[in-house]
Amino acid sequence: MTPLSRRLLAEFLGTALLVTVVVGSGIMAQTLSPGDVGLQLLQNSTATVFGLAVLILALGPVSGAHFNPVVSLADWWQGRQSGVGLTLGEVGAYAVSQILGGIGGAILANAMFGKAPLAWSTTERAAPHLWLGEVVATAGLLLVIFCLVRTGRTAVAPAAVAAYIGAAYWFTSSTSFANPAVTIGRAFSDTFAGIAPASVPGFVLAQLVGGVIGLLLVGGLYARPGADEPEPVTGDSLIGDSAAGR
């Protein structure tokens, strides 16, 4: 197991760069395609797909490339009985690193494009249909991740997870935040990808509900693995297994 300090650095860096990709590509999209929201979303989602896939490949062997408190919490929940995966204390440390990374990524993106480094978003995203979109997006994300782990197909995780998020940009009403750390980070940028601070709690709650639903669906599809099976997505179990097979 990689030392916790290195894993936390990987989670901080990965989440920071992910939010930088999301916010930065949103700012660039607004600049290149003013007035065309559909094209802006296409540019933003395309950059996110490629950026997320690369980050999972690069940092997965260190920390499991969660970049998401819901994924880290699910990792603990799935592994708590078999004694593998994150401890509850590590989940808290992961979440803090991810949230700080998300905020740092938004500040970095703002600064790169000449925006005020700290600017609260004014984009309201508070409505039942948007919360439903977040439930669907997060449940689907957990379903993709843990179904890949359960079936031993972690080699395709970078492409599969990135592809799902890219698709969910378009088929969910909320444009698939699906991540509390990213949601909090995006509140610090008053740009295309931003979310007003008042809208953050509703999104985070919906994401937690989606995480529970995702785990229930995985449990309904697959039996609980034995103690010797690499169920959680921490450390080497998500990316490391596939790397070892090359």
Side-chain angles (χ1 to χ4, degrees):
M1 179 67 71
T2 305
L4 180 60
S5 59
R6 294 183 183 178
R7 286 184 278 145
L8 295 181
L9 177 58
E11 288 298 302
F12 172 85
L13 181 61
T15 312
L17 291 175
L18 175 58
V19 173
T20 300
V21 168
V22 173
V23 173
S25 63
I27 297 172
M28 181 65 80
Q30 281 185 311
T31 302
L32 296 177
S33 307
D36 192 335
V37 178
L39 186 53
Q40 290 171 7
L41 184 60
L42 177 61
Q43 294 161 341
N44 189 211
S45 61
T46 301
T48 301
V49 167
F50 287 117
L52 179 57
V54 169
L55 289 171
I56 294 173
L57 280 170
L59 299 174
V62 180
S63 67
H66 296 187
F67 312 149
N68 187 333
V70 173
V71 174
S72 299
L73 190 60
D75 176 90
W76 163 76
W77 180 261
Q78 291 285 70
R80 71 195 189 287
Q81 292 183 338
S82 57
V84 296
L86 297 178
T87 66
L88 195 56
E90 288 174 330
V91 170
Y94 265 49
V96 170
S97 296
Q98 292 156 353
I99 291 170
L100 292 177
I103 295 171
I107 293 173
L108 176 60
N110 289 338
M112 282 197 300
F113 286 91
K115 308 289 185 181
L118 289 173
W120 292 114
S121 175
T122 56
T123 304
E124 297 289 340
R125 302 179 190 263
H129 70 282
L130 298 179
W131 300 330
L132 178 59
E134 280 302 285
V135 171
V136 171
T138 312
L141 176 62
L142 268 291
L143 188 63
V144 169
I145 291 172
F146 284 95
C147 282
L148 290 175
V149 173
R150 289 285 183 95
T151 56
R153 295 177 293 162
T154 54
V156 301
V161 172
Y164 173 78
I165 290 297
Y169 260 74
W170 290 91
F171 75 75
T172 64
S173 57
S174 62
T175 65
S176 182
F177 286 50
N179 184 332
V182 168
T183 303
I184 292 171
R186 289 168 66 166
F188 286 78
S189 181
D190 191 18
T191 58
F192 178 79
I195 177 173
S199 300
V200 169
F203 265 51
V204 171
L205 179 59
Q207 291 155 2
L208 292 173
V209 171
V212 172
I213 293 173
L215 287 179
L216 290 174
L217 290 173
V218 173
L221 291 170
Y222 299 98
R224 176 173 288 278
D228 59 338
E229 296 182 51
E231 164 61 20
V233 295
T234 187
D236 293 341
S237 61
L238 177 60
I239 303 301
D241 287 352
S242 61
R246 286 196 297 268

